[in-house]
Amino acid sequence: MINAITNYIVALFQKDELVNTITFKDNEVVDIEKENVLPLVSIRFTNRSEDPDNELYVYNYKIGIYQQRDTRKVVQPSKLMEDTNWIDNLAECESIANNFVNYIERIEIDENINIDSLSDLLPVSNYASSNLDGFSFDYGLSYPNTGYCGC
C-alpha cells in the first residue's frame, strides 16, 4: 500500500502547474542540485502507524516546498526585504501546499485516501545556505485496513 499512497502523492504534485521538480528522499537532505527547476517539492516518508479503532493505516510524510530567493544588490538594502523575493516565494509555496491539501479534502472524494493529520506550515528561509525559501509540513494520509482476513 505504501507504493500506492506515495504514487498518489507524487501524481497530485505533478498535476500542479506551479511545481517543476519533485523529489522523493529517504533522508532530510533536500535535493538542491543546480539542474533542478524550481519550485521544488521534496517528499519524505517518515512512518506508518495504525488507527485500530477506525481500521485504518496512517502513512506519514514530511513535505518541503521550496523556491529560489533572488536578491538584488542595492546601495541601501530595504529593512522591509524589498530587495528580495522572499514573500513571493512563501506565497507561491503556500499556494502549492494549499492546492495539495484542498485537492485531497475537497476534490478527491472518490478515493479511500484521506488526510488523517496535518501540521502547521513552517516557514523555511535560506535552506541549507542555498537561498531556498518555502514551507515544510508533516501530514498523515489514512487508508482503510482491508488486508487479508482469515475468517
Side-chain angles (χ1 to χ4, degrees):
M1 184 47 51
I2 187 172
N3 193 36
I5 299 289
T6 302
N7 288 339
Y8 174 80
I9 295 164
V10 170
L12 286 183
F13 282 117
Q14 286 174 334
K15 288 180 184 179
D16 193 325
E17 294 177 0
L18 295 174
V19 176
N20 287 314
T21 303
I22 301 168
T23 64
F24 184 78
K25 303 291 280 181
D26 61 354
N27 57 33
E28 291 196 32
V29 177
V30 173
D31 185 0
I32 54 175
E33 299 292 327
K34 291 184 180 194
E35 297 82 25
N36 289 336
V37 179
L38 299 168
L40 174 140
V41 173
S42 173
I43 304 167
R44 184 170 68 91
F45 175 72
T46 57
N47 70 325
R48 191 205 81 181
S49 58
E50 291 187 47
D51 180 352
D53 295 337
N54 297 312
E55 297 183 6
L56 297 171
Y57 288 134
V58 179
Y59 296 86
N60 298 294
Y61 293 83
K62 179 179 236 13
I63 295 287
I65 304 171
Y66 307 98
Q67 179 57 285
Q68 183 73 45
R69 184 183 300 190
D70 299 324
T71 55
R72 294 182 302 251
K73 301 293 180 190
V74 293
V75 177
Q76 294 182 349
S78 168
K79 294 184 190 291
L80 298 176
M81 297 185 73
E82 293 171 340
D83 52 336
T84 72
N85 64 336
W86 181 66
I87 291 295
D88 295 332
N89 288 351
L90 292 182
E92 184 175 25
C93 294
E94 179 188 31
S95 292
I96 293 169
N98 288 340
N99 291 346
F100 173 75
V101 171
N102 288 338
Y103 189 86
I104 295 172
E105 287 184 337
R106 299 180 184 160
I107 297 171
E108 186 71 86
I109 57 174
D110 294 333
E111 288 286 334
N112 284 330
I113 299 171
N114 294 297
I115 294 179
D116 183 75
S117 62
L118 180 63
S119 72
D120 293 338
L121 293 179
L122 300 173
V124 176
S125 298
N126 196 21
Y127 176 83
S129 299
S130 61
N131 281 339
L132 294 180
D133 301 319
F135 285 103
S136 69
F137 60 98
D138 299 319
Y139 68 96
L141 293 179
S142 64
Y143 190 84
N145 177 2
T146 57
Y148 175 76
C149 176
C151 305

